[in-house]
Amino acid sequence: MNQKINIGLIGFGTVGAGVARALLEKGRLLEERVGARLVLRRVCDKDFRRRRGLRLAPRLTTSDPFKVLRDPEIQIVVELIGGLQPAKTFILEALRRGKHVVTANKALLAHEGQALFAAAARANANLSFEASVGGGIPIIKALREGLIANELDTILGIVNGTSNYILTQMKEKRLSFHEALLEAKHHGYAERNPSLDIEGNDASHKLAILTLLGFGIPVRQPDIHAEGISKISQADIQYADELGYCIKPLAIAKREDHELEVRVHPTLLAKTHLLANVNGVYNAIYIHGDMVGAQLFYGRGAGQNPAASSVVADIADVARDIAGGVNRRVPLNRHPAPGIQRLRRIGNVETRYYMRFMVTDKPGVLARIAGVLGRHHISIASVHQKERRAARIVPVVMMTHEAKEADVRCALQVIDRLGFVRQPTVAIRTEAPRAK
Ligand code: HSE
């Protein structure tokens, strides 16, 4: 008879219901694969009246989280309520009581990861978080285990399914940003507070987790430059397309000399880039390591079942550890990658830029703009004036060579004060594969 492992679930929302269903409906299959019986012993939520497509036996449900946290029979607590508090208190309480914890809470790990990982180490318990990044993609396991022999130089992620879905819908169906956001909400992809998705915070939480695992460096949220997609317009999507690019919401961590760049922003990618065809709610994480070279992890990054798949994988891993009598089989890597001395300030980042100027169509305008860019050491790679006969304001689109962010900001401040510039200039960074 296989050992019984009791699981307590706090949070019976979209993902929680998916996890409960998998544990209840796939119990036998999971037992065969894991070598232990995964028993859902208690589910806690404030409200069980909302329909979730799954009915739980009343003896399983409670509205009191301490009925989970203080139950001596429960060995694994699954936290799926999200947000900072009371999730942090619940996780710390579970660890203090010697329970293992599985969470999908990327915001909490990004903000309080150090305290939580230290508490788990003190308790000699697992704190597992596969569902925190990339939904159903086993990227956490890949980074912590599969790629342990590598020094990474690049992590590029499309890690916010909602943003990717919105930009894809805007491009393919020519929807406005707001129409596409409504669709994302309708499908249940967006966070309860969708500004976390569209302003880049959710991706920035996930990037902090990837950076910790990939480079051994804990990055504070204020140190990640994060821009969302809400300022991306239909016009920029179309012009980028005409120039051979798509616009993707990227989370970037990469080494440049002795520094690490960590940033989140909409980015132009050549249509030939490996990440360019990651569309809709799909996520993908591109990694380059010194031994494996390039790798691409691709899958559904949001939605009930993909996230539940990762939560159950964590539960299975912990259950195997318990059954095998080993705790913390994979401790957290706390060793910063050799050679990285500091984070690079955003002003020192160098990329090629897409720029769209909205200007009055009259002689001398291009020369004035080019002059300001030149004085700020920004070299123009190509210029495209988009004829719009009906209006006196025309878009001028430029691609630059590599330029320093601080120079671009200064130049655009000057340009946007010129009388013939009729709207704030749009500047979007590009990302090209490393030349090697
Ligand atoms: N809101 C998140 C996303 C869900 O859009 O990717 C998964 O973390």
Side-chain angles (χ1 to χ4, degrees):
M1 180 84 165
N2 284 323
Q3 185 176 345
K4 180 168 123 179
I5 312 280
N6 286 310
I7 297 148
L9 177 58
I10 304 180
F12 191 59
T14 306
V15 181
V19 172
R21 183 187 294 115
L23 291 175
L24 295 172
E25 293 179 0
K26 296 189 166 199
R28 173 166 303 200
L29 184 75
L30 287 168
E31 178 174 353
E32 283 168 5
R33 291 181 178 170
V34 175
R37 205 143 53 93
L38 308 179
V39 176
L40 185 61
R41 185 176 162 91
R42 189 86 67 223
V43 179
C44 170
D45 203 290
K46 281 192 284 207
D47 173 15
F48 284 93
R49 280 170 305 179
R50 206 154 42 92
R51 293 175 78 87
R52 288 150 177 124
L54 176 71
R55 282 162 82 101
L56 295 175
R59 66 182 163 75
L60 286 183
T61 64
T62 177
S63 57
D64 178 2
F66 290 94
K67 290 247 168 66
V68 173
L69 297 168
R70 292 188 184 143
D71 182 341
E73 298 294 315
I74 288 180
Q75 293 141 291
I76 304 175
V77 170
V78 181
E79 179 276 306
L80 294 175
I81 55 175
L84 302 187
Q85 279 296 9
K88 181 181 177 190
T89 304
F90 294 166
I91 291 178
L92 290 176
E93 179 67 11
L95 292 171
R96 204 176 61 75
R97 290 173 179 271
K99 300 182 191 310
H100 304 277
V101 173
V102 172
T103 180
N105 195 332
K106 57 249 163 162
L108 182 58
L109 291 173
H111 286 281
E112 303 276 358
Q114 293 305 301
L116 296 174
F117 291 124
R122 274 196 305 277
N124 194 29
N126 288 294
L127 175 57
S128 306
F129 49 97
E130 185 63 70
S132 63
V133 183
I137 306 170
I139 185 64
I140 303 296
K141 198 174 187 71
L143 283 170
R144 296 179 77 184
E145 301 183 46
L147 296 169
I148 196 162
N150 285 264
E151 289 307 320
L152 303 190
D153 59 44
T154 309
I155 300 177
L156 299 180
I158 296 178
V159 289
N160 184 261
T162 303
S163 301
N164 200 33
Y165 179 85
I166 290 173
L167 291 181
T168 305
Q169 294 295 93
M170 286 174 72
K171 176 162 181 235
E172 289 179 357
K173 297 194 189 161
R174 301 226 172 181
L175 296 187
S176 72
F177 174 79
H178 290 285
E179 287 165 336
L181 173 60
L182 279 180
E183 282 211 3
K185 282 187 189 166
H186 173 74
H187 290 294
Y189 300 143
E191 297 293 310
R192 221 169 290 170
N193 169 6
S195 71
L196 285 175
D197 294 308
I198 60 184
E199 298 307 341
N201 307 78
D202 176 75
S204 151
H205 295 150
K206 291 166 177 167
L207 182 60
I209 296 169
L210 293 175
T211 306
L212 178 63
L213 301 184
F215 296 96
I217 297 177
V219 187
R220 296 177 321 126
Q221 285 299 293
D223 293 329
I224 300 180
H225 177 85
E227 289 170 32
I229 58 159
S230 57
K231 294 200 184 72
I232 299 296
S233 69
Q234 189 54 243
D236 295 313
I237 290 177
Q238 297 307 325
Y239 297 150
D241 184 58
E242 287 166 25
L243 293 171
Y245 294 90
C246 54
I247 304 180
K248 290 289 170 195
L250 276 203
I252 300 170
K254 63 178 186 178
R255 274 175 204 257
E256 289 294 345
D257 305 322
H258 298 297
E259 295 182 331
L260 186 70
E261 295 182 5
V262 275
R263 49 196 166 94
V264 170
H265 49 74
T267 310
L268 258 73
L269 291 179
K271 289 178 187 172
T272 51
H273 195 287
L274 271 180
L275 292 172
N277 287 311
V278 177
N279 288 320
V281 76
Y282 278 88
N283 280 195
I285 298 119
Y286 166 94
I287 282 171
H288 192 276
D290 62 348
M291 295 179 75
V292 293
Q295 297 206 326
L296 186 66
F297 299 82
Y298 171 84
R300 284 183 192 273
Q304 181 177 59
N305 278 333
S309 163
S310 285
V311 172
V312 174
D314 274 345
I315 294 172
D317 258 0
V318 177
R320 283 197 185 109
D321 282 4
I322 297 171
V326 277
N327 277 0
R328 293 175 57 75
R329 191 180 53 80
V330 188
L332 196 74
N333 170 22
R334 292 172 165 277
H335 304 283
I340 298 179
Q341 294 168 357
R342 65 186 86 83
L343 300 181
R344 177 165 289 190
R345 297 161 73 96
I346 186 68
N348 291 332
V349 165
E350 291 187 26
T351 69
R352 298 177 69 225
Y353 276 84
Y354 160 99
M355 294 179 180
R356 174 168 57 86
F357 305 94
M358 295 301 286
V359 294
T360 311
D361 196 4
K362 63 178 187 183
V365 163
L366 263 183
R368 293 280 300 280
I369 292 176
V372 177
L373 293 177
R375 281 197 295 286
H376 288 85
H377 324 288
I378 300 163
S379 165
I380 299 165
S382 65
V383 182
H384 314 262
Q385 177 162 335
K386 304 288 168 185
E387 193 78 34
R388 291 288 180 272
R389 294 210 175 105
R392 289 197 55 232
I393 303 173
V394 290
V396 172
V397 173
M398 286 186 188
M399 297 298 299
T400 74
H401 290 294
E402 297 258 316
K404 200 164 147 184
E405 170 98 13
D407 291 336
V408 170
R409 287 190 192 180
C410 287
L412 295 187
Q413 267 185 12
V414 175
I415 288 171
D416 281 357
R417 283 201 296 264
L418 298 172
F420 55 77
V421 175
R422 308 298 294 272
Q423 290 175 17
T425 298
V426 172
I428 308 176
R429 303 171 191 88
T430 69
E431 188 65 34
R434 277 182 196 264
K436 62 178 160 190

